[in-house]
Amino acid sequence: MKTFYGTDLPNPLMLGTAQYPSPAILEQAFRESEAGVATVSLRRESGAGQTFWQMIRDLGVLVLPNTAGCHTVKEAVTTAHMAREVFDTKWIKLELIGHTDSLQPDVFQLVEAARILTEDGFQVFPYTTDDLIVGERLLAAGCEVLMPWGAPIGSGRGLNNEYALRAMRAEFPGVPLVIDAGIGLPSHAARAMELGYDAVLLNTAVARAGDPPAMARAMMQATLAGQLAHQADPIEARDMAEASTPVIGKAFLS
Amino acid sequence: MKIVLNGETREIKALTLAEMLVECGFSGRVATAVNEEFVPSSLRIAHELVDGDRVEVVAPMQGG
């Protein structure tokens, strides 16, 4: 498994911390999933922030703060600075939202913000589309990880454009690639890993499931299965049958 | 003076950002911005507020 800015992950699952029915279920989901990375955010302090932070610390996971909801470079860069101070990490999941309905990244602002933050010592995890040229620009801006979307955030549609994601994997063989957003089922997560992706980042699929801890465990197992399958060099699909049982030696009985 | 704290107008006695945080009961891990500019924690003591400042105080929260 590739490293993320020099850091090894225990398994290929990054898990979000939002939308769980309760903090206790969130905690249980993390324990079940054994996810090594938790995404978090910054919001106006209303009293709940410190308890939440203590719980995340107790999980003993790496923290990946996001810039969720930011629509401009300035907003995202300021949020990143605040996150670096609060969470004491150089990691930032850079989100620059360009479209209200699809939450599609504004890739032009994304590249600009990524360059500014990288120059400022951040280690940027850009939430991007599956566009290869944008990927190249992000790498040129200093990113060492790319996080293309599988489908719009929270949609649970899986991998909308597998062709593009496959092309991205082929184009950037040495770069840690994470499918971020759109995963709805363990089969989607497994598929991402079968394509050779290095990790999967998801939130809604677990948090909104009827049994979040069970789904968290299913997602972790799916990512591991997909990863192992990719390493095991799967067979190519074919149109015609090919007998697996030897034909030679079959008894003549008709 | 009056400031806008996390979107709400507040009357405060504090003169600096650090004093305002104490006066308004903030503790623990928070980050601050004044008029949309990040103010690192090390600069809060020296950062004097002026009437009408827009202050944001944020804390860790759930996120995806």
Side-chain angles (χ1 to χ4, degrees), chain A residues 17 43-44 50 74 85-86, chain B residues 29 36 41 56 59 63-64:
Chain A
T17 58
R43 288 293 179 262
R44 285 171 168 173
Q50 308 308 318
K74 181 176 174 359
E85 186 177 270
V86 164
Chain B
R29 291 212 173 211
E36 297 82 46
S41 60
E56 294 286 334

Side-chain angles (χ1 to χ4, degrees), chain A residues 62-86:
Chain A
L62 292 161
V63 170
L64 178 58
N66 68 29
T67 62
C70 288
H71 287 78
T72 66
V73 171
K74 181 176 174 359
E75 218 182 349
V77 167
T78 304
T79 303
H81 278 279
M82 293 171 113
R84 181 162 66 177
E85 186 177 270
V86 164

Side-chain angles (χ1 to χ4, degrees), chain A residues 205-218:
Chain A
V206 165
R208 288 281 178 88
D211 185 342
M215 187 60 85
R217 189 161 179 76

Side-chain angles (χ1 to χ4, degrees), chain A residues 69-140:
Chain A
C70 288
H71 287 78
T72 66
V73 171
K74 181 176 174 359
E75 218 182 349
V77 167
T78 304
T79 303
H81 278 279
M82 293 171 113
R84 181 162 66 177
E85 186 177 270
V86 164
F87 296 110
D88 198 20
T89 176
K90 293 179 186 171
W91 283 13
I92 190 76
K93 177 184 163 182
L94 186 59
E95 283 183 49
L96 261 152
I97 301 304
H99 190 270
T100 319
D101 290 334
S102 65
L103 300 180
Q104 178 164 343
D106 178 333
V107 294
F108 304 97
Q109 294 202 85
L110 181 68
V111 170
E112 193 185 339
R115 181 184 51 76
I116 293 168
L117 290 171
T118 301
E119 284 173 2
D120 219 336
F122 285 87
Q123 295 174 332
V124 178
F125 293 65
Y127 166 60
T128 184
T129 65
D130 48 35
D131 189 295
L132 295 183
I133 310 307
V134 172
E136 278 177 16
R137 294 291 169 94
L138 287 166
L139 296 176

Side-chain angles (χ1 to χ4, degrees), chain A residues 16-18 26 39-46 48-50 52-53 57 66 74 78 81-82 85-88 93 95 201 203, chain B residues 5-8 26-33 35-42 44 55-64:
Chain A
T17 58
L26 159 60
T39 55
V40 294
S41 74
L42 281 178
R43 288 293 179 262
R44 285 171 168 173
E45 172 65 310
S46 59
Q50 308 308 318
F52 171 70
W53 176 231
R57 288 176 66 127
N66 68 29
K74 181 176 174 359
T78 304
H81 278 279
M82 293 171 113
E85 186 177 270
V86 164
F87 296 110
D88 198 20
K93 177 184 163 182
E95 283 183 49
L201 199 172
N203 189 157
Chain B
L5 174 61
N6 285 350
E8 289 181 15
F26 291 106
S27 60
R29 291 212 173 211
V30 294
T32 49
N35 300 331
E36 297 82 46
E37 298 290 339
F38 172 57
V39 181
S41 60
S42 58
R44 286 178 199 154
V55 183
E56 294 286 334
V57 181
V58 296
M61 202 58 62
Q62 292 84 350

